[in-house]
Amino acid sequence: MKKYDFQKIDKKWQKEWGEKKLYKAEDFSTKKKWYSLVEFPYPSGQGLHVGHVRSYTALDVLSRKRRMEGYNVLYPIGWDAFGLPTENYAVKTGIHPVKVTKDNTDTFRRQLKAMGFSFDWEREINTTDPEYYKWTQWIFLQFFKHNLAYKTITKINWCPSCKIGLANEEVVSGSCERCGSGVEEKEKEQWMLKITAYADKLLEGLESIDYLPEIKRQQENWIGRSEGAEIDFRVSGTDSILKVFTTRPDTLYGATYMVVSPEHKIISELKNRISNIEEIESYILKAKKKTEEERIENKEKTGVEIKGIKAINPVNDTEIQIFVADYVLSGYGTGAIMAVPAHDERDFEFAKKFSLPVIVVISDGKIREQLTGAYIGTGTLINSGPCDGMDIEKAKEEIIKRVHGVKKVQYHLRDWVFSRQRYWGEPIPVVKCERCGYVAVPEKDLPIELPNIKDFKPRDDGESPLASVESWVHTTCPACGGAARRETDVMPNWAGSSWYFLRYIDPKNKDIFADPKKLQYWMQVDWYNGGMEHVTLHLLYSRFWNQFLFDIGVVPTLEPYTKRTAHGMVLGEGGVKMSKSRGNVINPDDVIKAYGADTLRLYEMFMGPFNQSISWDSKSIEGTWRFLNRVWSIAHEKKFGSECDKKVEQIIEKTVKKVGEDIEKMAFNTAISTMMICANECYSAEAISRTAWEKYLKVLAPFAPHITEELWSELGNEKSLHISSWPEYDQKKIIDDTFTLVIQVNGKTRATIETNTGISEKDAKELALKQENVSRIIEGQEIKKVIFVSNRLINFVI
RNA sequence: GCCCAGGUGGCGGAACGGUAUACGCGCAACACUUAAAAUGUUGUGACCUAACGGUCUUGUGGGUUCGAAUCCCGCCCUGGGCACCA
């Protein structure tokens, strides 16, 4: 059999589609709109990854189906091109990042085009294009004007190897996400974005959108909202107050000591009353030296009692001890806690180690002789004076009232460190004037372009290389006209990707980031697919930016994405990550060369469930290759007239139904197996009608656009298959005349017979009992019960 | 430790509570060929049986049900996320 000539066919149709602008999205149309979005790639030097191909094929399949269903489809692509790898490459080679980016995007563009994705290439964007980052800077200025961008001295995660401050999100178990070196703490003045102001909004927004449940959970956990109260403890014999945050004010009678974090100000405040100050100070020093990693590895509780001062439990005026311990964090709540060892596991552990009193104040009715751990469940109060007998919810209210506590909500979410002391990012459009402080650059002066420099290395003092470009740094203050210095920090690589879905809508607009009418037409994104690894960072950030832009009235919807799904990773053979060092990276170019784009597309959709990780298997791809060749053979060996085998007609109808449904569920693997079964049937058919065969080509088209387009045109069709209509199926034709009746005895299958659909229970019973294998078993036994499931089975219970 | 997802042939994986192992890979035999490749046809969970047929089998132990891979409870393992957040 002749192998189909994919090389010729792929090229021919890619050229044709490009010339005809087949996948161009129309701004405004009488058709219903559909906006499909995939995470735009970082154009690395390694070229396109087969993981990109998996995600992009999935939404390409969906977008193509929508187009055939009559939608005006926007499926855009671009480049998320700012970031460290390119800059590090520039530092090493001296080649300018602009050049590196151009070379890499050229490669990516060629590779994506070779896959036959139905992107609207006229809307291609690049975050490093000044015409793009002009608007990233513009959005920053809006944050600045609304006091949601501010500069402050904070402790930052400092990577001594990359010489860069990292966001919390970029620190993975105490190490730099990129280079793996241990992260140090360093104080630095940094730009921050006040994402915490949107914590509740980001949580509430989740209720109205269709994200995979695990994605919602991860965002919820990341925001980490908890409700509780702040309660003041006086320090005995002083005017000092120790404020704590607790989610369990109901356990206040069980608070037997307090703990402050090593950074807590009470220690310096009451320094001269503390009798063991030297011991305390040496503990603090030791705690600070511990790296993040050590703290994670060794969770053994440590701490020192602060002698000379005591706190007073406000609910019963009891004096209790105060400790300093590093299990209390300075960055959360008030940096001090009331310890209730009976009902908090960490406090219990600490109390056990230091032999501190434990008072049980919540009971679930059981009496425990010996406490082996904290009881964190619900129950009724005991040992709590006037509150005895209350349930914990009521007690929370009552005790907060009694001690004049204040209800408070705390979040794990921190403000977003938005500064990077690097070169390859968007300059932050602010100047520092000695008289006026930080002043926004006027919008008309945007973009603030990156100056062209030769040395991209961050300075040893931690400042951006931009700080060395004197001619660029010196400027005048837009407010007073006096001398001023430009901000030399640049934005993190998350900036450009936080709003790119908006720019696709109007990518060439010079006056505004996107025309409001166009935004009104296209937003929200109907379906967004990307990796799980971006769920807490990119996805949350971009929701934050969109919500903010909505609040200031420049975008039409509060939430950017209606629906979000995630694909599983594509791993190398044997289930390990693909990496250059392992030498197991699959280059899509090689696969396309050997099998063509359609085989690769089909294989990546077929190899496993879309949301699960899968390992590449160079043998298995043969299966999809053979399948396409079989389709090719059918097309060239059969005649497509008006006659059609009943069986074939029915199976094609069923295939149309199943494939349509499976695409919506992202069950691409079962859609393809259905089409394989159908092809096998067609292959052995006597006669296939042209109508039926065209339906088949149509459902295969989104998966394998090139071969189907070729076969479609061979049939004499002049207009492209991909703008033809999605086929309907006939419900009546799907119903089988006969079915396999399963005959069970006590739930065990003993026989199966082919019989007419709709057979009555009486007839089925009669038929079943005639079966030798059934009658033999039943003989001489009493039939206690007969279970009959229409068109499926009959079960005799004996 | 907590939160998610998952555990099915030699392998990737299918299965509205109703014939477990679809589809694909691999393997075997046969056809075509001088031969190989390609392609086609057939077979392919394990065990017992000459055969008809039977027994067992979806990580593991229980339970619900006429009937459980599927629902419920306990346990074990793998992958991902968070991690002393009061």
Side-chain angles (χ1 to χ4, degrees), chain A residues 68-69 652-654 656-657 691 695 698-699 725-731 733-734:
Chain A
M68 291 169 80
E69 286 170 332
I652 287 178
E653 293 293 314
K654 280 183 174 173
V656 168
K657 178 172 194 278
T691 325
K695 278 192 182 185
K698 283 179 176 184
V699 295
S725 62
W726 186 255
E728 306 264 330
Y729 60 89
D730 187 341
Q731 189 68 48
K733 287 186 186 157
I734 284 175

Side-chain angles (χ1 to χ4, degrees), chain A residues 122-141:
Chain A
E122 289 179 19
R123 293 173 186 256
E124 181 181 339
I125 57 173
N126 186 327
T127 54
T128 64
D129 179 355
E131 282 304 308
Y132 181 93
Y133 70 69
K134 172 180 177 178
W135 299 106
T136 312
Q137 291 174 335
W138 181 85
I139 295 169
F140 177 86
L141 288 183

Side-chain angles (χ1 to χ4, degrees), chain A residues 15 47 62 69 77 87 97 130 152 170 231 285 309 316 389 400 414 468 508 531 554 572 585 595 663 680 757 764 770:
Chain A
K15 186 160 168 266
L62 184 80
E69 286 170 332
I77 193 72
E87 177 165 331
T152 188
E170 291 167 315
I231 293 171
L285 210 68
I309 56 172
N316 55 11
I400 291 172
R414 308 293 158 81
S468 307
K508 297 186 177 85
V554 296
V585 177
Y595 298 103
I663 290 174
N680 293 344
T757 304
K770 271 192 213 148

Side-chain angles (χ1 to χ4, degrees), chain A residues 525-563:
Chain A
V525 172
D526 292 282
W527 194 327
Y528 187 20
N529 185 72
M532 272 316 275
E533 70 274 21
H534 290 131
V535 162
T536 46
L537 316 178
H538 160 66
L539 202 60
L540 201 63
Y541 292 156
S542 59
R543 289 182 60 224
F544 165 45
W545 280 41
N546 194 81
Q547 291 195 342
F548 166 70
L549 293 173
F550 175 76
D551 284 348
I552 64 169
V554 296
V555 300
T557 63
L558 176 66
E559 286 288 339
Y561 321 119
T562 305
K563 182 181 175 104

Side-chain angles (χ1 to χ4, degrees), chain A residues 183 187 216 284 384 441 458 519 580 592 645 674 688 710 796:
Chain A
V183 170
E187 299 223 316
K216 285 194 188 183
I284 292 171
S384 297
V441 168
L519 288 169
K580 230 158 105 184
I592 290 174
D645 290 4
T674 304
I688 307 168
E710 175 73 12
F796 299 98

Side-chain angles (χ1 to χ4, degrees), chain A residues 404-550:
Chain A
H404 309 291
V406 179
K407 280 195 188 171
K408 188 125 198 241
V409 176
Q410 284 285 342
Y411 303 92
H412 294 183
L413 186 70
R414 308 293 158 81
D415 277 342
W416 175 5
V417 180
F418 202 66
S419 282
R420 297 292 184 275
Q421 289 73 40
R422 301 290 295 220
Y423 174 74
W424 194 229
E426 302 88 343
I428 291 176
V430 168
V431 302
K432 188 176 187 181
C433 168
E434 267 162 46
R435 259 191 297 173
C436 316
Y438 289 107
V439 180
V441 168
E443 289 178 12
K444 67 172 173 49
D445 293 344
L446 296 182
I448 300 301
E449 288 198 43
L450 275 171
N452 197 347
I453 62 170
K454 292 230 159 60
D455 183 9
F456 309 102
K457 229 174 141 171
R459 306 198 322 186
D460 290 341
D461 62 0
E463 290 302 325
S464 156
L466 293 177
S468 307
V469 190
E470 288 296 319
S471 60
W472 185 80
V473 169
H474 289 291
T475 185
T476 51
C477 170
C480 71
R485 292 177 66 83
R486 280 193 196 287
E487 174 59 65
T488 58
D489 287 356
V490 299
M491 301 185 199
N493 64 323
W494 307 106
S497 60
S498 291
W499 71 283
Y500 74 116
F501 51 93
L502 298 169
R503 188 63 177 172
Y504 281 139
I505 287 170
D506 199 4
K508 297 186 177 85
N509 200 320
K510 294 222 178 245
D511 306 321
I512 185 168
F513 69 92
D515 180 342
K517 285 203 194 76
K518 292 183 186 173
L519 288 169
Q520 184 70 44
Y521 177 71
W522 285 110
M523 285 300 281
Q524 298 171 308
V525 172
D526 292 282
W527 194 327
Y528 187 20
N529 185 72
M532 272 316 275
E533 70 274 21
H534 290 131
V535 162
T536 46
L537 316 178
H538 160 66
L539 202 60
L540 201 63
Y541 292 156
S542 59
R543 289 182 60 224
F544 165 45
W545 280 41
N546 194 81
Q547 291 195 342
F548 166 70
L549 293 173
F550 175 76

